[in-house]
Amino acid sequence: MRGPLVVKRAFSEPLLLLAAFGSILLATTTLVALTMYASSIADAGVRRTMETAPYDQTAATVSAPVTAATFPKYDQAVRAELTKAYTKPPAVTTSFRSDSYVMPGQDGKERPELLRFGSYDGLDRHAELVSGAWPRPGDGPVEVAISLSAATATGFEVGREFTTKGRLDPRPVPVRVVGVFQLDDPSGPRWTGEQLLGRGVERGEFTTYGPLMVARETFIARFATSVNATWTAVPELSALTPAQLRPMAAAIGQVGERLKAGGCPNCVTASRLPEILTQLDTASLVARSTMLIPVLQLLLLAAYALMLTARLLADHRRMEVALLRSRGAGTARLAVLAGSEALLVALPCAVAAPFLGPPLLALVNALPWIRASGVRLAPSADIGTFLVSFGVALAAAGLLVLPALAGARRTYVEEQSARGRSGGRGLIERAGADLALLVVAGLAIWQLQRYGAPVTATAGGGLGIDPLIISGPALALLTGGMLGLRLVPRVSKLAERLTSRRPTLAPALGAWQVSRRPLKYAGPALLLTMAIAIGVVSMATAATWRASQLDQARHQAGADLRLSGAPDGPELGAFGRGTAFAALPGVTAASPAFRGQAEVSGENAMLLSLEASKLEKLFLLRPDLSAQPVAEMSRALAGGRAGELELPGRPVTLTVRAEADAAVPVRLVLSDALGVWRDLPLGVLRAGGNRIDVDLRALAGRSGKITYPLSLRGLVSGAPQETANVRLIGLSADGREVAAPALSMKAAAELGPLPVVLTADLAAALKMGVGQVGPASIDRRVLQVKVVAVVHSMPTAAAGQPAVLVDWAALQAYELAAAQPPRPATEWWLAAADTAAARAALKGQPDVTVIDQRELAATLQDDPLASGLQGALMLGFGAALVFAALGFLVNAAVAARERRAEFAILRALGASSRQVFGLLAIEQAFVIGLSLAAGTGLAVAVGVLVVPHIVLTGQASAVTPGVVLDIPWAATAAMLVLVAAALFAIVAGLARHLRRGQILEDR
């Protein structure tokens, strides 16, 4: 009997039953999808990070001195420990470098040129043979292969045979060159510790060529005389999961200790991977924790929507329950009846949700930033998914039962007397619970702002999710909505007074109806307010995140394109690089730049120098980071200029005549039309008159061109602390005499204060503000500087790093005035509307590192860990709007049905269908208008307090420059209009059904 009674009772209210079913199904499906999404995005983020991690961040090295006798033992121990440390055995290669050997024919020299031998496992996989073959082990002459750069420097060719001797081992070593190779990427991170292999020559106290690469067996047999061996482990990390990150980091960090304990006391390990894995584990935890924010918001919204439906169901059945009580039904029997009815609705949702979650996530895959990242989320239902689904469904069933139990103790007479009574204030407001929740939400948001993420240190010393911080945004939305309910009776009474003076019936009667029973409308208003607030906050967070990625990319790049590398090279010399870079397709402005570390009054700061006149076109400084706009900064930054002598024509040689008062090394300082300064060695001048011929073609390099005209800037000493002096007495360009300026190596007169732009922390350390002049030590040389602007953060500087910006020409003038060599152009900053063509043209340039702000922005936006929150927000946003529409529909339909007698009386008194529709529209317009306005205001308040603190980098660190809240007002207005239109369409539909009498009938 109980089963049929439950079914009959449930289906006696099809509208409310359908609303409850829809709410529970939506809640379970969305929350299951969010759970799947959080887990999948963390896995995808770890995989993507590991797949794209550069070689220098994932490789681990072990170094130790070995001999032919000790190498096999060490090799076995190292490989065994490295295999234990990783989840999958890594690829381990060994490399060796020999002691120094003398270049053939230079045995008797005091400072001979040197050779080194080497071996590298699998070199043929990272290099291409230009000629010959790879060396093989065997007796007789040692077979070697040499890099193309080393072959060019030494003149060795395939087939060349010679004999060399070691500086520590005098035994002769016969050598045969059998191959010449070219590394695939000589400047790549794989060869960071192999500078000689990448360059072919090292110049210092001794000039060393090589290494001459031999087979591994040959090296161990002939050259392993207590030389350094390096084992390099390159792991396969694409299948790594978040749970494996910290254990692997700990295992790799202990490799060195285990090797020393196992008999290799001189083994030295080095790897950045433990730090990367630990950081990635933290980022994964933070990503999952921030995705809990929309989950909790949705939980609160779903719970409230379900409670509204349950309350409507309980209100509709209170007389029925009272009759059952009067006929002997006890509280337990009523509870079983209500619980069975709730389970009848909830259990099908629990079963269906895990299968509906993956299709819902397929919609997330369609989001542009998820699709662009290449991440494809394809989770399937598992035991954890079903546990979440049944847990949410059972909780929802409990919420359905609670209102029914709350009124189960009333008798029929008590229910009759309670009907129609409705106070102006709800229980929560009367108890002050909304104010108490406000305090809790304020504390949670304060903690979020303090810690910068929803993750804090645990008692065990690790990291964990702080439930209070996570719940802060959801509590803020709920509290704000509840506080907004206090406005309902006040606004309704105001509306009643305003409309009561008008002659029309519908506005006056509608406003009177709302003011008479404000609590009837407070529930739907709170639901709509929270849904609108969640929607606006979600849109604001997504827009803020996208804007922040662009800001980060612009800040890290500094310009549209930033090119870095050696300031001088054989292919492109100092003057040739600027000509090539400025002529790249699409480039509209170019400036040489010096960017490096400098000591500024005891602070380790970044020194950045750019052409002040190009600053407005090049310098990507976000406007809010400085009180002075870049255009004003550009004008104020131009400082003193050095004198110059423009050389006529397009000379390729210079003849310099100079007079010295003692033997002194001298360098001639020139500049080209692009503003690049370069000092040329004139050699050691003898006392008296000197004549030096200078070939200017080397300044351009083999494939470069000089941008004329060239200008003579001055003379500087080639040795520090030099006291001798040199005077220029004659100069000719390509044999054409040029009037020689009065140049010497003595320090020039002071140029006045050096204009600078400082970061705020550096300005505070120097105790200087905008417009102030004072002393500052730059690289231990005291200068008078004038602060022309202060920025909160300097582009290209790391987070929190002090920095100073100066004009390029002014900095060079101050260096020359102090008789110092000019600063090299370590970088080139370029402006380009479209950087793709320039990037394509730079692919053939060696030793040039390209930083493209657009490419960098795409990389940042494609990071699954950083972008994961956006998909979760969109899921929550969509579900919130559906909850709002469903709750509004049910409440409006039930309210209209409950007032069928009232509508019948109005029709009998002569009210038209239009007037009845107007009455209904006025009542619901009050709820809609108040909810849209309150929800938007609440979203703005929560957005200002919360959103900048949940937008983090992919490494879970604070964003530089700081996050600026971006509320897309156009999209927000469109969303509000669409929501209002959908809700008014519901009202119009109800009125149409009301006119046909469908709502007035008992179903």
Side-chain angles (χ1 to χ4, degrees):
M1 185 66 183
R2 183 179 303 170
L5 176 61
V6 170
V7 174
K8 290 179 180 179
R9 189 168 186 259
F11 284 94
S12 66
E13 292 293 339
L15 176 63
L16 294 176
L17 179 70
L18 185 61
F21 178 80
S23 297
I24 298 176
L25 183 62
L26 180 61
T28 50
T29 302
T30 309
L31 290 169
V32 163
L34 283 171
T35 304
M36 289 179 171
Y37 179 80
S39 176
S40 299
I41 208 71
D43 290 341
V46 170
R47 287 196 305 270
R48 171 60 59 84
T49 303
M50 290 292 94
E51 287 172 355
T52 59
Y55 172 89
D56 57 340
Q57 291 187 0
T58 59
T61 61
V62 180
S63 301
V66 299
T67 64
T70 60
F71 173 75
K73 174 185 174 182
Y74 286 177
D75 184 60
Q76 183 180 4
V78 169
R79 290 176 183 272
E81 290 298 338
L82 289 174
T83 300
K84 291 178 185 176
Y86 295 89
T87 55
K88 293 175 61 177
V92 180
T93 60
T94 54
S95 59
F96 307 87
R97 290 295 170 269
S98 72
D99 295 324
S100 298
Y101 286 74
V102 179
M103 278 284 286
Q106 299 187 16
D107 290 352
K109 288 188 177 181
E110 181 180 353
R111 289 183 176 272
E113 295 178 315
L114 304 176
L115 292 172
R116 285 187 185 270
F117 293 87
S119 176
Y120 192 99
D121 292 349
L123 181 62
D124 56 339
R125 296 193 299 270
H126 309 291
E128 181 181 357
L129 275 174
V130 177
S131 60
W134 293 107
R136 296 173 297 177
D139 298 330
V142 175
E143 293 189 358
V144 303
I146 187 171
S147 67
L148 181 61
S149 55
T152 303
T154 59
F156 293 163
E157 297 177 347
V158 173
R160 171 76 180 272
E161 294 191 9
F162 59 86
T163 301
T164 182
K165 293 181 180 180
R167 303 200 72 199
L168 301 178
D169 185 356
R171 291 179 298 174
V173 178
V175 177
R176 180 191 299 127
V177 180
V178 298
V180 177
F181 64 88
Q182 175 67 48
L183 292 176
D184 295 338
D185 185 12
S187 59
R190 182 179 295 274
W191 314 113
T192 300
E194 305 278 356
Q195 296 296 323
L196 183 59
L197 182 59
R199 297 176 181 175
V201 59
E202 287 181 348
R203 304 186 188 277
E205 186 178 356
F206 289 86
T207 299
T208 304
Y209 301 99
L212 306 179
M213 305 304 288
V214 302
R216 174 176 166 180
E217 296 84 352
T218 303
F219 190 96
I220 294 172
R222 305 289 292 269
F223 303 103
T225 55
S226 192
V227 296
N228 192 64
T230 301
W231 291 263
T232 303
V234 181
E236 169 56 48
L237 302 173
S238 60
L240 206 60
T241 64
Q244 296 171 328
L245 295 175
R246 284 193 181 269
M248 182 182 286
I252 297 172
Q254 295 169 1
V255 168
E257 297 178 3
R258 293 199 301 267
L259 283 172
K260 290 179 180 179
C264 185
N266 296 321
C267 283
V268 177
T269 61
S271 177
R272 295 179 59 191
L273 189 55
E275 177 187 353
I276 300 298
L277 293 176
T278 303
Q279 186 180 57
L280 185 57
D281 179 70
T282 301
S284 176
L285 178 62
V286 171
R288 293 195 302 270
S289 67
T290 51
M291 279 185 274
L292 286 176
I293 292 176
V295 170
L296 291 180
Q297 291 175 352
L298 190 60
L299 273 174
L300 282 178
L301 188 66
Y304 189 73
L306 200 58
M307 288 186 70
L308 278 181
T309 303
R311 192 190 70 182
L312 290 173
L313 188 62
D315 285 348
H316 191 75
R317 286 179 171 169
R318 59 183 180 178
M319 298 308 300
E320 174 189 325
V321 171
L323 285 173
L324 289 174
R325 292 271 307 167
S326 66
R327 294 180 180 181
T331 302
R333 175 64 183 272
L334 293 175
V336 170
L337 193 61
S340 301
E341 185 179 14
L343 290 175
L344 184 66
V345 177
L347 288 180
C349 299
V351 175
F355 299 102
L356 296 176
L360 187 58
L361 287 182
L363 299 177
V364 179
N365 279 331
L367 293 174
W369 51 90
I370 298 295
R371 188 174 63 250
S373 69
V375 175
R376 294 296 176 265
L377 305 178
S380 57
D382 56 16
I383 185 64
T385 305
F386 278 98
L387 289 176
V388 171
S389 180
F390 274 87
V392 174
L394 291 176
L399 291 176
L400 275 179
V401 173
L402 286 178
L405 294 181
R409 295 182 178 275
R410 290 179 181 174
T411 65
Y412 183 81
V413 176
E414 290 172 338
E415 287 292 355
Q416 285 281 26
S417 61
R419 292 189 69 178
R421 293 203 307 259
S422 177
R425 298 194 304 163
L427 177 62
I428 292 178
E429 182 180 346
R430 293 196 301 270
D434 50 356
L435 297 178
L437 275 177
L438 178 64
V439 174
V440 176
L443 178 61
I445 292 176
W446 173 78
Q447 283 192 310
L448 174 63
Q449 294 175 343
R450 178 185 178 188
Y451 293 112
V455 173
T456 57
T458 62
L463 292 176
I465 298 174
D466 190 317
L468 180 61
I469 296 179
I470 284 293
S471 62
L475 288 177
L477 291 175
L478 176 61
T479 306
M482 292 171 63
L483 290 174
L485 292 183
R486 293 174 176 259
L487 299 176
V488 173
R490 295 167 176 80
V491 174
S492 62
K493 289 185 181 299
L494 177 62
E496 180 190 4
R497 285 198 296 269
L498 293 176
T499 55
S500 62
R501 303 170 186 172
R502 300 177 63 86
T504 51
L505 173 66
L509 191 57
W512 172 80
Q513 177 68 25
V514 174
S515 65
R516 184 171 69 94
R517 297 190 300 177
L519 292 184
K520 285 286 185 181
Y521 301 90
L526 177 56
L527 179 66
L528 276 177
T529 298
M530 289 182 61
I532 293 300
I534 290 174
V536 176
V537 168
S538 298
M539 295 173 65
T541 305
T544 301
W545 178 83
R546 290 192 291 271
S548 178
Q549 307 311 302
L550 295 176
D551 288 343
Q552 291 177 64
R554 291 165 62 88
H555 196 80
Q556 292 175 24
D560 293 333
L561 274 178
R562 178 159 57 91
L563 312 180
S564 61
D568 206 350
E571 285 298 321
L572 287 177
F575 287 174
R577 293 173 73 84
T579 305
F581 296 159
L584 288 171
V587 171
T588 57
S591 170
F594 174 83
R595 179 173 167 271
Q597 296 300 311
E599 183 185 346
V600 180
S601 298
E603 297 282 340
N604 184 21
M606 184 192 77
L607 176 61
L608 177 61
S609 178
L610 290 166
E611 284 190 47
S613 60
K614 307 283 183 66
L615 215 59
E616 189 173 4
K617 295 181 179 179
L618 293 172
F619 201 52
L620 300 181
L621 180 71
R622 201 171 68 187
D624 66 305
L625 295 179
S626 174
Q628 292 78 25
V630 175
E632 179 183 328
M633 194 184 299
S634 174
R635 291 189 296 269
L637 199 59
R641 295 291 188 269
E644 60 179 318
L645 172 65
E646 185 175 306
L647 301 179
R650 304 168 70 86
V652 294
T653 61
L654 280 182
T655 300
V656 178
R657 297 186 296 278
E659 201 172 67
D661 57 12
V664 57
V666 176
R667 305 183 77 85
L668 185 71
V669 180
L670 298 173
S671 66
D672 68 0
L674 295 174
V676 180
W677 288 46
R678 177 72 158 81
D679 54 313
L680 287 172
L682 299 181
V684 178
L685 304 190
R686 65 181 183 274
N690 296 266
R691 176 190 169 98
I692 309 99
D693 293 323
V694 180
D695 186 356
L696 300 179
R697 288 172 294 187
L699 294 174
R702 287 192 292 264
S703 60
K705 295 181 180 179
I706 296 175
T707 301
Y708 291 96
L710 297 179
S711 298
L712 176 63
R713 296 290 186 169
L715 298 171
V716 296
S717 174
Q721 309 300 327
E722 179 60 57
T723 57
N725 190 34
V726 174
R727 186 171 58 88
L728 186 67
I729 59 176
L731 181 69
S732 61
D734 284 346
R736 179 182 176 184
E737 196 68 24
V738 180
L743 294 181
S744 70
M745 292 197 309
K746 293 185 178 297
E750 290 292 332
L751 296 172
L754 174 66
V756 296
V757 175
L758 303 177
T759 52
D761 48 0
L762 187 56
L766 296 176
K767 298 180 180 178
M768 297 176 65
V770 176
Q772 292 184 321
V773 178
S777 171
I778 300 180
D779 284 339
R780 300 183 181 180
R781 190 163 77 250
V782 178
L783 301 174
Q784 288 291 316
V785 300
K786 178 181 179 181
V787 181
V788 300
V790 173
V791 297
H792 294 290
S793 180
M794 188 73 71
T796 73
Q801 182 184 24
V804 55
L805 170 66
V806 298
D807 175 40
W808 169 260
L811 178 65
Q812 303 291 25
Y814 275 78
E815 296 290 347
L816 187 62
Q820 296 295 317
R823 299 267 180 169
T826 59
E827 295 185 344
W828 278 85
W829 290 40
L830 310 176
D834 183 8
T835 57
R839 282 204 322 271
L842 286 166
K843 285 184 178 178
Q845 294 291 349
D847 301 330
V848 177
T849 301
V850 181
I851 299 177
D852 179 358
Q853 67 98 1
R854 293 173 180 82
E855 193 175 63
L856 188 57
T859 301
L860 291 173
Q861 291 179 340
D862 291 349
D863 185 348
L865 290 179
S867 63
L869 178 62
Q870 316 314 307
L873 287 171
M874 292 302 104
L875 273 174
F877 171 47
L881 294 185
V882 175
F883 270 122
L886 183 61
F888 180 84
L889 171 62
V890 172
N891 278 274
V894 171
R897 188 173 67 178
E898 288 179 347
R899 295 168 59 197
R900 58 188 177 182
E902 177 183 330
F903 291 146
I905 293 173
L906 286 173
R907 292 296 300 273
L909 292 175
S912 65
S913 299
R914 181 176 298 179
Q915 287 177 317
V916 172
F917 170 69
L919 168 64
L920 196 60
I922 289 295
E923 295 176 10
Q924 300 305 326
F926 175 84
V927 175
I928 295 172
L930 184 62
S931 300
L932 294 183
T936 304
L938 178 60
V940 172
V942 173
V944 170
L945 295 172
V946 172
V947 170
H949 301 281
I950 61 176
V951 174
L952 304 172
T953 67
Q955 292 74 41
S957 57
V959 172
T960 302
V963 179
V964 176
L965 178 65
D966 180 13
I967 299 178
W969 287 113
T972 299
M975 185 267 290
L976 295 177
V977 169
L978 289 175
V979 170
L983 297 181
F984 277 115
I986 292 174
V987 175
L990 289 176
R992 186 165 61 89
H993 286 295
L994 178 64
R995 186 167 56 249
R996 294 177 179 176
Q998 294 181 19
I999 296 179
L1000 303 183
E1001 298 175 5
D1002 248 336
R1003 294 285 181 183

